[in-house]
Amino acid sequence: MSTETLLRDLREQLRDGGLHGCLLVRDLHTGDELGIDPDTQLPSASLVKVPLALATAERIRRGELDPATLLDVPPGRITTPGPTGLSRFRHPARIAIEDLLYLSTCVSDGTAADALFDLTPPAQVAEILQELGLRGVTVRHGMHELTETPVERFDAEQVHLAHALAIDAGTSGRGHRVPQLDTTRANTGSARAWVDLLQALWTPSKIHPDVASHVRDLMAHNVLRHRLAPDFSSDATTWSSKTGTLLNLRHEVGIVEHSDGQAFAIAVLTESLVPASTQPGADALMAQVARTLRDHLRQL
């Protein structure tokens, strides 16, 4: 099958599955890549915890932060489905910076991430990204804003109304009545920008090798493996990644490394057009399309 035909078929599969997808798969050794709308900016949701981890690890390397410093973290006390870790705690906890880094990145704990953002505010994270030559990922706010969406204002049986609003209230210029989905106000990035960040972490770049190794290790221990991991994990591969979920957004970015030495950076950003919070079929379709792109690129 020609590449043009393949991309057309995959677009149709995404559309038929109720998804608008922005994807990019890049061979880290050759630079060859295949994508679908890879330059479209979308809100990042929890993907922003990767640049947060990078900035925190860089400040630890510089001696600006001591990873053993204990912080008193108030409980998140969130009861709606989704949030993890400290975000669901009922009581205060005292946790070291390095352990907060684990919770934020590997467990996608928003409260842990906000404790790290208190140390390294969004503007400073963005500044460090610029210093490291990483452009295209915008960091404007912490995670607390992501817990104040329409979902929290509806009863469980009415959550579909929040998703309907997320689907229908956008503008052609990617503005949105829901601030967390407005690309002029939210943390954002394109599939290409996320792949560029992954490449900088996995291959020589301005990122210090110790910092890159630290972030790679965190992503390798991501515990959320329901989305792309089933299609990229095997005895002959390793899958290191970070997911992001917010209202109708379902994202995952990661690196698949093969035992033969090949490695591919993969970014899958999607918007669901179906007003439902639980869509395992959408997760499976994301993985299927990403793997098809990887398989085709691997054979070129």
Side-chain angles (χ1 to χ4, degrees):
M1 181 184 296
S2 71
T3 299
E4 183 178 343
T5 300
L6 174 70
L7 293 177
R8 184 176 64 249
D9 288 350
L10 292 178
R11 287 179 185 273
E12 291 177 359
Q13 289 180 34
L14 289 167
R15 184 174 60 251
D16 292 345
L19 290 177
H20 169 237
C22 303
L23 300 86
L24 188 66
V25 178
R26 179 183 297 163
D27 185 324
L28 291 187
H29 297 306
T30 68
D32 294 337
E33 59 183 36
L34 284 175
I36 297 173
D37 297 337
D39 296 306
T40 298
Q41 294 283 325
L42 287 177
S44 301
S46 285
L47 296 184
V48 75
K49 293 166 185 171
V50 176
L52 171 62
L54 171 58
T56 303
E58 171 62 17
R59 293 193 66 207
I60 290 173
R61 183 193 70 81
R62 295 175 183 177
E64 298 172 3
L65 297 174
D66 180 347
T69 298
L70 295 174
L71 301 180
D72 291 319
V73 184
R77 296 177 178 168
I78 296 175
T79 58
T80 52
T84 59
L86 297 170
S87 299
R88 306 193 79 83
F89 273 31
R90 309 302 298 174
H91 307 284
R94 178 168 289 183
I95 303 178
I97 289 174
E98 193 164 20
D99 293 329
L100 288 169
L101 195 51
Y102 166 77
L103 290 172
S104 171
T105 312
C106 304
V107 187
S108 203
D109 183 342
T111 295
D114 275 335
L116 295 175
F117 270 126
D118 286 343
L119 298 172
T120 309
Q124 188 174 5
V125 174
E127 181 181 336
I128 290 173
L129 291 181
Q130 290 291 318
E131 291 173 4
L132 296 173
L134 298 168
R135 295 169 177 80
V137 172
T138 302
V139 183
R140 295 187 174 104
H141 60 76
M143 304 309 298
H144 180 70
E145 288 83 346
L146 302 187
T147 65
E148 298 181 336
T149 73
V151 166
E152 286 71 38
R153 300 169 192 167
F154 287 103
D155 295 332
E157 63 273 13
Q158 295 179 311
V159 167
H160 67 282
L161 297 176
H163 286 264
L165 178 64
I167 294 166
D168 297 333
T171 70
S172 58
R174 295 214 159 268
H176 207 287
R177 288 172 57 191
V178 178
Q180 296 88 344
L181 300 179
D182 186 332
T183 56
T184 66
R185 291 185 280 180
N187 301 322
T188 61
S190 65
R192 186 178 306 282
W194 289 110
V195 163
D196 288 344
L197 174 55
L198 293 173
Q199 182 167 356
L201 288 167
W202 258 261
T203 62
S205 70
K206 289 184 178 180
I207 301 174
H208 191 279
D210 292 344
V211 173
S213 177
H214 193 171
V215 178
R216 290 198 304 268
D217 183 67
L218 289 168
M219 294 181 69
H221 289 89
N222 177 22
V223 302
L224 301 178
R225 305 183 69 80
H226 63 291
R227 194 159 284 163
L228 301 190
D231 275 73
F232 290 104
S233 298
S234 73
D235 288 346
T237 64
T238 59
W239 174 244
S240 306
S241 71
K242 181 71 192 76
T243 59
T245 308
L246 177 69
L247 291 169
N248 67 322
L249 302 179
R250 286 171 173 79
H251 306 330
E252 186 159 0
V253 301
I255 297 281
V256 59
E257 298 173 90
H258 298 276
S259 58
D260 65 2
Q262 285 189 300
F264 296 85
I266 299 170
V268 183
L269 315 180
T270 72
E271 298 172 303
S272 175
L273 306 178
V274 179
S277 59
T278 302
Q279 297 182 48
D283 293 325
L285 179 58
M286 291 170 60
Q288 176 187 332
V289 172
R291 178 163 181 169
T292 301
L293 285 174
R294 190 284 312 268
D295 290 348
H296 188 78
L297 189 59
R298 200 176 186 192
Q299 295 166 5
L300 292 179

